[in-house]
Amino acid sequence: MSALFKSLYAPVFFFGFIGAALFAVGGLGLPAHWALPPLLALALAVSFLSERAAPYRREWNRGEGERGRDAIHFVVNEGLNAAGLALLPLAALWRPWPALWPQSWPLPLQVAAAIVVADLGLTLAHYASHRSAWLWRFHAVHHSVTRMYGFNGLMKHPLHQLIEAAAGVGPLIALGLPLDAACVLAFAIAIQLQLQHSNVDMRIGPLRHAFAWAPVHRLHHLRYGRAGDVNFALFFSVWDRLLGTAARAPGYRVGSADLGIGSRPDYPQDYAGQLLEPFRTQACVASPTPPPALRAALAQD
C-alpha cells in the first residue's frame, strides 16, 4: 500500500484538486472567490498529513521556527494574488483592443491552455532570475530554504511574486482571459507549488519527463553554485529540455545539507530580514562544491 500511495500521490493530488476546482466553478457554477479557498485549505491539509505519512526526509517534517515566517509569506503572496484577481475586471475595461482569448471554449480547455501559456512565461522569468544579479536578489529569498515541504512553495519576496505574475499571467490578461479561468489558473499554480516542494516520498517514474514535481524540482534547490541552475519549469519539464537545463541525479537523495544558498550561509531566516535583504549590500563567500556522490549521480543523467 505504501508503494502504491507514493506512486499515485502526485497525479491524484494534481488532477484531483484541479479537477475539483473546475467542477466547482465550471460545473456547479459556484463563485470562485468562495469555492476555491476551502479547496486550497483542504489541499494544504492533505499535503501536511501525507508528508507525515510518507516523508521523503523525516527530518524535514520538524520545523526550526520557520513555520510562522512561511505562513506570513503564504498569506502575503496569496493576498497579492487575490488582489490581482479582484482587479481583473478593471483590466478588461482598460484594454484598448477586443479580447483575443477563446472565451467560448469550455472552462477546462481554457484553463489547460492558460496553464501552458503561463508556464512558459513563469519559466522564462525564473530562468532570468538566475541570470540577472538584480532579479536574483529578490529570488534568493525562495532559495534560502533548508528543508522542503509543501507550505514553502509560496515563500517568495512579494516583489518577485509580482515580477513572475507579470511574466506568466500578464500576457493572458492582455489576451482577455476571463475571471473564472484566471481564478482556477491561480489555484492550479498553488497546487503545483505544493507538489514541487512537497516532502512526500513520491515516485513519479516516467511522469518526470512531463511534470516538474518534487523529485525533479529538488535539484533546483541545490546550494552548490551553478549546480542548482537546472529544472526551472513550474508545470512542465519540456521547457527545461528546450532550454538545455533539464537534470536528473538517479539514486541521489537530496538532504538538508544540500539546500540553501551556498554563497550566503548567513542569509536571514526571519520574514522582515528577508523582505529587506535584497536592498542591502550583498556579501558572498565561495559556494561549496557538490559532494562526490552528487557529482556521480548527475554524471549518470
Side-chain angles (χ1 to χ4, degrees):
M1 180 60 71
S2 176
L4 182 62
F5 174 83
K6 292 175 181 179
S7 297
L8 293 178
Y9 177 77
V12 169
F13 190 94
F14 182 81
F15 291 106
F17 276 109
I18 295 176
L22 287 167
F23 178 71
V25 176
L28 298 179
L30 300 177
H33 66 274
W34 70 260
L36 298 185
L39 267 182
L40 182 57
L42 177 60
L44 285 168
V46 170
S47 178
F48 279 132
L49 291 173
S50 299
E51 287 173 336
R52 279 146 184 77
Y56 175 77
R57 286 285 188 184
R58 194 167 299 278
E59 64 269 23
W60 287 356
N61 285 335
R62 296 190 293 271
E64 297 180 356
E66 74 274 35
R67 286 197 181 99
R69 176 205 67 197
D70 292 350
I72 297 174
H73 277 294
F74 179 86
V75 170
V76 169
N77 290 322
E78 280 297 285
L80 287 174
N81 289 338
L85 291 170
L87 293 174
L88 200 58
L90 293 178
L93 295 176
W94 294 336
R95 191 177 59 244
W97 54 81
L100 303 175
W101 185 260
Q103 298 185 2
S104 61
W105 288 5
L107 182 62
L109 193 56
Q110 289 192 55
V111 171
I115 286 174
V116 173
V117 174
D119 195 33
L120 175 58
L122 290 167
T123 299
L124 292 176
H126 193 179
Y127 181 84
S129 297
H130 283 248
R131 295 293 182 269
S132 163
W134 183 81
L135 288 175
W136 171 253
R137 282 174 170 264
F138 297 94
H139 184 49
V141 170
H142 182 67
H143 277 269
S144 66
V145 298
T146 54
R147 71 181 181 109
M148 294 183 69
Y149 69 118
F151 202 40
N152 62 17
L154 269 171
M155 182 186 159
K156 301 179 181 182
H157 196 285
L159 288 180
H160 196 264
Q161 170 90 349
L162 293 173
I163 291 167
E164 286 190 329
V169 184
L172 293 167
I173 294 174
L175 290 172
L177 183 72
L179 181 59
D180 281 353
C183 289
V184 179
L185 170 63
F187 177 84
I189 290 172
I191 292 297
Q192 177 66 6
L193 286 169
Q194 288 182 61
L195 278 174
Q196 275 202 326
H197 299 82
S198 175
N199 187 30
V200 174
D201 190 15
M202 58 186 78
R203 311 295 174 85
I204 62 176
L207 288 176
R208 69 173 57 250
H209 299 298
F211 296 101
W213 292 330
V216 174
H217 190 69
R218 289 182 191 121
L219 294 178
H220 180 72
H221 280 264
L222 294 174
R223 64 193 291 262
Y224 309 112
R226 292 294 182 185
D229 286 356
V230 297
N231 299 348
F232 290 96
L234 175 58
F235 283 95
F236 304 118
S237 300
V238 64
W239 305 123
D240 282 296
R241 289 198 293 276
L242 293 173
L243 287 170
T245 55
R248 294 177 60 229
Y252 188 82
R253 291 182 69 82
V254 175
S256 294
D258 298 310
L259 302 179
I261 306 173
S263 62
R264 288 296 313 277
D266 61 340
Y267 202 88
Q269 292 300 304
D270 62 295
Y271 182 78
Q274 292 184 343
L275 207 63
L276 295 173
E277 187 62 20
F279 305 101
R280 294 171 173 156
T281 301
Q282 305 290 302
C284 299
V285 300
S287 295
T289 58
L294 175 58
R295 291 201 302 268
L298 291 169
Q300 293 179 39
D301 188 17

